[in-house]
Amino acid sequence: QVQLVESGGGLVQPGGSLRLSCAASGGIFSVNDMRWHRQPPGKQRELVASITRGGLANYGDSVKGRFTISRDNAKNTVYLQMNSLKPEDSAVYYCNADVRTSTGAFRNYWGQGTQVTVSS
């Protein structure tokens, strides 16, 4: 069993910063690509950022230059540093990871989501 557990969401003022964390645990052989998605209320889920095991990162246009994705492979953890936050960044943020399990399967897992609210 593999679980992704997120933390770091909350309420922040426009222009502020938050740092999200997501740790994978369980029957893991290796964690490959990791991603952050977000879903504002009433809208479709959107890819925010992705990062390979080797650290190659990509970002959605709406967050490029403001957000930074990083990871610690020793901890099976991915981070999302969010700066210069805007009200339109408000959403439930979900962690996602491609995992090779200890049984040899290659599977995709989702975290439970964490709420980010940007408001004065």
Side-chain angles (χ1 to χ4, degrees):
Q1 308 90 3
V2 175
Q3 294 181 344
L4 272 54
V5 179
E6 300 179 344
S7 62
L11 175 65
V12 66
Q13 295 182 349
S17 298
L18 282 174
R19 183 175 175 86
L20 307 183
S21 300
C22 172
S25 62
I28 297 170
F29 182 82
S30 66
V31 179
N32 298 314
D33 290 0
M34 304 186 82
R35 308 168 190 88
W36 288 98
H37 294 75
R38 68 185 182 187
Q39 188 166 24
K43 298 183 179 180
Q44 297 202 85
R45 192 167 297 186
E46 169 192 26
L47 177 64
V48 175
S50 65
I51 186 167
T52 68
R53 182 172 179 82
L56 179 63
N58 287 104
Y59 300 91
D61 289 341
S62 63
V63 307
K64 193 171 297 182
R66 299 187 297 122
F67 291 11
T68 302
I69 189 170
S70 61
R71 65 189 291 167
D72 185 337
N73 290 339
K75 298 179 179 179
N76 288 327
T77 298
V78 64
Y79 306 94
L80 186 68
Q81 178 67 46
M82 304 185 293
N83 299 326
S84 302
L85 283 162
K86 305 174 181 179
E88 51 262 45
D89 295 319
S90 297
V92 178
Y93 283 71
Y94 296 92
C95 177
N96 178 255
D98 295 328
V99 178
R100 182 176 291 109
T101 72
S102 58
T103 65
F106 187 76
R107 294 180 176 175
N108 182 262
Y109 294 91
W110 289 90
Q112 79 284 2
T114 185
Q115 178 71 51
V116 172
T117 302
V118 185
S119 179
S120 299

